[in-house]
Amino acid sequence: MTPAPASSPDPTGSTLDPIQLTIINNAFVNVCREMGITMTRTAFSPIFNEGLDFSCAMFDREGNMIGQAEYCPGQLAASIFIVRWTLQELGLDSFEPGDVILHNDPYRGGNHIPEHSVLRPVYYDGELWGFVANVGHLAEIGGKAVGSFAADATEIFQEGLRIPPVKIVSRDEPNLDLWRLIMANHRTPRNTWGDLNAQIGSLRVAERRLVQLIDRYGPELLTRAGNELMDYSERWMRTEIAAIPDGTYEFTDYMENDGVVDEPVKFHVKLTIDGEHMIADWTGSQPQVRGPINTTYAVTAGAVYNAIMHLTNPNIPKNSGAYRTIHVIAPPGTVVNVVYPGASVGGNTETHPKLFDMVMGAMGAVLRDKVSAAQGASCCNFLFGGTHPKTQEFYANYHLEGCGWGAKDYDDGNDATIVVNGNCRNTPVEIFETRYPLQTIEYSLITDSGGAGRRRGGLGTRRIMRIGAGAQITASALFDRTKGRFRAWGLEGGLPGGYGAILVKRRGDDRFRTFPEVFGTVSASKFTNVVLEEGDEVLLDSPGGGGFGDPRERDRESVRCDVEEGLVSEDAARSLYGWDEA
Amino acid sequence: MGRWEEIKHEIWDTVVTPCDCCGQVVARHMWIAEVNGVQRQFCSPGCEELYAIRGHDAAPGARFPGPDDAGRDADRRGQR
């Protein structure tokens, strides 16, 4: 696809030359990157300084995103709605220099309640120029489950402390009454203090850099550059969508259950390509469910944006202009647009990747060379906390695993990679064991978990952890793709990926068993607040990705390498790939 | 023919208003219009148009104002 270059005749009458525009675009991105680096160096929790479960972006004074750094696609999409709706709700008149707004309300643009957004206005010569924002997943925010990820929650009140847009800092003075209220409702308040202050501090760095940019270019030129960059992205995206054949493309998929009622959950999407426009209509998805796998509007829209970004030119500048021609319909009160007081904490981690896959599946009819088979699509959320036997301090951690990604026509799927909306990093075993009383006994790729295909699906992982000496932990889990027909589907004859699982072996036992067998939980994949003791072991298997194409068409050298590296067993190589070497 | 209305939030109004067409939050100003004899609330005139053109029906379970909600919604629209 050849984009409309910035130097082409410009219907907006731009006078900025393309080189200057590119330099300013890169400067916007770098402001956001530096915000993120500040965050990793100052946050208290591994979820930020190791996992990178946060995102940084900047906005003009109308609330349009004009720059972002390469963090979590899901959070970046949500920030578009969070900032726009917050500005509309509060009004620009309510802001003053040095203010910071805090917000984690899923019904107001958030992805799910653990993600806290901070937003700071940037003034120049007394005039509001724009905003800088940071969205981060706090590892503990209260609610019924340690780690604030209650897999059996039926209302938002069980998921943690909900905060509508409020000023946590007013004219650079912290609102300590609000801070005290938050601290009193989180299980690990010292970490909340450190992590939220890291987010707020990153905004100050971004503000300083942005003011330096305005010093250099002037406020009017920089505003015009932001507008032109958005128009440029819009033109480019219109060109990309126009290249897709007009038509309606539909896809239906299911999740195994909602964590409360053990029945499949149905999702449906109808994508309409009409010239330069795309409409993603999720009507036909089932009513909102009781458990927490409902998505917010931002999650559903973000999944569509995310998939489209994977299907179009990766060089389109990522700003609000790129999304103007994509329209998302998510009927309120359905599983793709939760309404108050419905639960939604798992909608971001478990449902977003499946909605992404559905867009891929629908577009496969006309973009077979670009789409991917289904991914493992579960963060394999494992939450735990307790009193650390060495420090006597209460700790809590939100742990997520990488899974296998779906294969494409041109490549195998990624192994052991955090879901497509996350872009997070794996927390190293050494960090894990230093901070928490758990030992990692095994961490490996699961042989044969990648769906067989001409291109093989990515492999899932196995992690076995043992509860350390003197420790007792309270654990919760929210997994998916663990049974039946809910594995990651393949495309064009590719086979599905392997199952996910969470199992437990009590101290002295000789085998792993399911949590319903040992603890009587209703669900084997979604449960809350199980107490594990010293010597108990937990096994986490993440699901593999689907394969692409007939496995018997996979080139023989790749099959041989897979067998040699232990990614595919000899039995599977023979039975699925038709491999006949010794 | 629709009209813009400002949503007036009381301190106890903790629930946001979704657009009847796309489902996005209507944070401050909603577009009120009658479609097929039923009053609807939208985020913009564009969504009213889309709703009318596509004959869009709410998905099963979509929660639109019912008889019990009339007072609350009238409050939010500043009509009482």
Side-chain angles (χ1 to χ4, degrees):
Chain A
M1 177 68 56
T2 305
S7 56
S8 66
D10 187 341
T12 64
S14 165
T15 54
L16 288 176
D17 71 77
I19 293 173
Q20 191 174 34
L21 208 53
T22 303
I23 290 170
I24 291 173
N25 182 50
N26 290 341
F28 285 167
V29 173
N30 277 325
V31 168
C32 300
R33 285 178 181 155
E34 190 169 350
M35 211 184 323
I37 291 166
T38 305
M39 182 78 181
T40 57
R41 290 183 177 174
T42 56
F44 280 26
S45 297
I47 192 171
F48 291 137
N49 44 39
E50 297 293 340
L52 305 186
D53 197 349
F54 65 89
S55 297
C56 304
M58 57 189 289
F59 298 80
D60 67 15
R61 58 171 288 142
E62 275 77 44
N64 299 303
M65 180 195 281
I66 54 174
Q68 59 169 253
E70 306 84 346
Y71 292 103
C72 300
Q75 291 170 347
L76 289 163
S79 70
I80 294 170
F81 303 103
I82 290 167
V83 173
R84 187 201 307 160
W85 295 341
T86 296
L87 300 192
Q88 288 172 5
E89 183 171 341
L90 301 184
L92 290 182
D93 292 346
S94 65
F95 291 94
E96 294 183 283
D99 287 351
V100 176
I101 300 292
L102 175 68
H103 168 318
N104 78 335
D105 190 342
Y107 308 121
R108 286 178 162 90
N111 279 327
H112 57 173
I113 195 167
E115 286 181 359
H116 286 58
S117 300
V118 288
L119 173 68
R120 183 179 175 99
V122 177
Y123 288 79
Y124 192 81
D125 281 344
E127 292 290 321
L128 177 64
W129 189 89
F131 295 87
V132 289
N134 181 325
V135 186
H137 182 133
L138 292 185
E140 219 312 314
I141 63 158
K144 73 179 283 190
V146 175
S148 312
F149 223 93
D152 56 355
T154 56
E155 292 184 337
I156 194 164
F157 306 106
Q158 297 157 348
E159 298 188 314
L161 181 66
R162 174 175 165 231
I163 306 171
V166 291
K167 283 187 188 178
I168 193 164
V169 179
S170 297
R171 298 188 72 84
D172 280 323
E173 289 295 324
N175 180 349
L176 291 178
D177 287 344
L178 178 58
W179 276 100
R180 288 190 186 94
L181 182 66
I182 295 169
M183 300 290 110
N185 282 279
H186 290 190
R187 291 181 177 85
T188 52
R190 196 167 68 88
N191 281 1
T192 294
W193 173 257
D195 291 337
L196 265 183
N197 271 309
Q199 287 188 267
I200 292 168
S202 77
L203 299 183
R204 292 198 186 98
V205 171
E207 178 188 42
R208 197 157 59 233
R209 293 289 179 257
L210 184 51
V211 167
Q212 288 170 350
L213 267 183
I214 302 175
D215 280 339
R216 182 172 175 187
Y217 292 103
E220 293 81 14
L221 187 144
L222 217 53
T223 297
R224 205 167 79 233
N227 290 335
E228 290 191 17
L229 283 166
M230 287 189 286
D231 290 344
Y232 177 49
S233 295
E234 181 182 354
R235 287 198 304 276
W236 196 339
M237 183 58 81
R238 284 176 182 272
T239 306
E240 296 275 327
I241 290 177
I244 303 171
D246 279 2
T248 298
Y249 310 98
E250 301 193 46
F251 202 91
T252 301
D253 202 3
Y254 296 83
M255 285 176 67
E256 62 186 30
N257 60 41
D258 70 356
V260 175
V261 179
D262 194 14
E263 293 175 356
V265 181
K266 179 189 174 188
F267 300 85
H268 181 78
V269 68
K270 182 163 72 175
L271 299 173
T272 301
I273 304 294
D274 182 7
E276 299 175 336
H277 294 274
M278 163 180 270
I279 299 173
D281 187 351
W282 295 88
T283 303
S285 301
Q286 77 172 63
Q288 183 170 316
V289 292
R290 292 192 67 206
I293 56 93
N294 301 298
T295 63
T296 65
Y297 182 88
V299 169
T300 302
V304 175
Y305 297 164
N306 196 353
I308 299 306
M309 288 296 177
H310 276 76
L311 295 171
T312 53
N313 193 307
N315 295 317
I316 299 175
K318 308 298 183 293
N319 57 45
S320 286
Y323 310 115
R324 285 175 184 157
T325 194
I326 302 167
H327 310 280
V328 178
I329 296 171
T334 67
V335 69
V336 292
N337 191 357
V338 63
V339 295
Y340 175 92
S344 62
V345 72
N348 187 40
T349 62
E350 308 304 288
T351 314
H352 178 130
K354 293 175 181 76
L355 304 186
F356 171 100
D357 285 341
M358 289 174 65
V359 175
M360 288 282 171
M363 296 313 299
V366 285
L367 299 176
R368 70 172 297 281
D369 57 328
K370 293 183 177 176
V371 300
S372 52
Q375 57 194 305
S378 174
C379 279
C380 304
N381 308 286
F382 179 61
L383 303 307
F384 58 90
T387 302
H388 200 296
K390 289 182 181 169
T391 64
Q392 298 306 308
E393 186 174 3
F394 195 86
Y395 65 89
N397 189 45
Y398 167 59
H399 173 73
L400 64 169
E401 287 285 359
C403 59
W405 282 27
K408 298 140 282 191
D409 182 48
Y410 55 92
D411 204 358
D412 293 341
N414 297 339
D415 302 324
T417 305
I418 298 292
V419 290
V420 71
N421 46 313
N423 199 26
C424 299
R425 284 193 318 209
N426 204 343
T427 299
V429 168
E430 292 79 3
I431 297 292
F432 209 83
E433 295 188 348
T434 303
R435 300 289 292 266
Y436 310 114
L438 287 89
Q439 294 170 285
T440 300
I441 307 302
E442 177 181 341
Y443 187 34
S444 59
L445 294 171
I446 304 172
T447 303
D448 292 334
S449 60
R454 179 169 55 78
R455 299 294 189 180
R456 180 179 42 70
L459 273 65
T461 61
R462 170 162 296 175
R463 188 191 293 261
I464 300 176
M465 292 182 288
R466 181 181 297 152
I467 315 305
Q472 179 189 71
I473 71 165
T474 303
S476 304
L478 204 166
F479 281 49
D480 202 67
R481 293 211 195 285
T482 66
K483 63 178 183 177
R485 60 192 167 96
F486 304 103
R487 290 190 288 170
W489 36 264
L491 281 176
E492 307 220 352
L495 299 181
Y499 289 115
I502 177 165
L503 303 171
V504 62
K505 184 164 76 175
R506 300 306 304 264
R507 184 178 186 178
D509 279 1
D510 59 358
R511 66 185 178 92
F512 282 97
R513 292 181 289 163
T514 65
F515 277 77
E517 283 179 283
V518 177
F519 292 101
T521 61
V522 173
S523 168
S525 60
K526 302 174 182 70
F527 54 82
T528 299
N529 291 342
V530 169
V531 177
L532 301 172
E533 309 281 354
E534 173 184 341
D536 292 348
E537 294 181 10
V538 181
L539 177 151
L540 314 178
D541 277 358
S542 69
F548 193 107
D550 185 344
R552 292 179 182 269
E553 294 176 6
R554 184 168 177 79
D555 78 84
R556 301 297 90 178
E557 179 60 14
S558 294
V559 178
R560 189 191 64 75
C561 286
D562 284 351
V563 171
E564 194 173 286
E565 293 178 5
L567 307 181
V568 173
S569 67
E570 287 195 18
D571 283 350
R574 289 197 180 88
S575 61
L576 300 178
Y577 290 92
W579 192 59
D580 53 9
E581 295 179 30
Chain B
M1 188 64 184
R3 65 187 185 281
W4 285 105
E5 285 188 5
E6 183 170 358
I7 301 172
K8 294 193 172 131
H9 285 288
E10 299 293 345
I11 189 72
W12 54 83
D13 278 332
T14 63
V15 183
V16 293
T17 307
C19 170
D20 280 353
C21 177
C22 68
Q24 289 197 50
V25 168
V26 187
R28 178 66 81 88
H29 295 97
M30 67 167 67
W31 179 254
I32 304 293
E34 196 172 295
V35 180
N36 297 329
V38 179
Q39 182 167 286
R40 298 287 185 189
Q41 56 198 30
F42 301 104
C43 60
S44 66
C47 259
E48 179 205 347
E49 191 180 347
L50 191 62
Y51 192 92
I53 290 171
R54 295 171 58 79
H56 182 80
D57 292 323
R63 188 177 182 283
F64 293 122
D68 296 341
D69 300 308
R72 189 202 67 195
D73 288 340
D75 275 344
R76 190 171 296 136
R77 293 174 198 155
Q79 292 174 337
R80 294 205 313 190

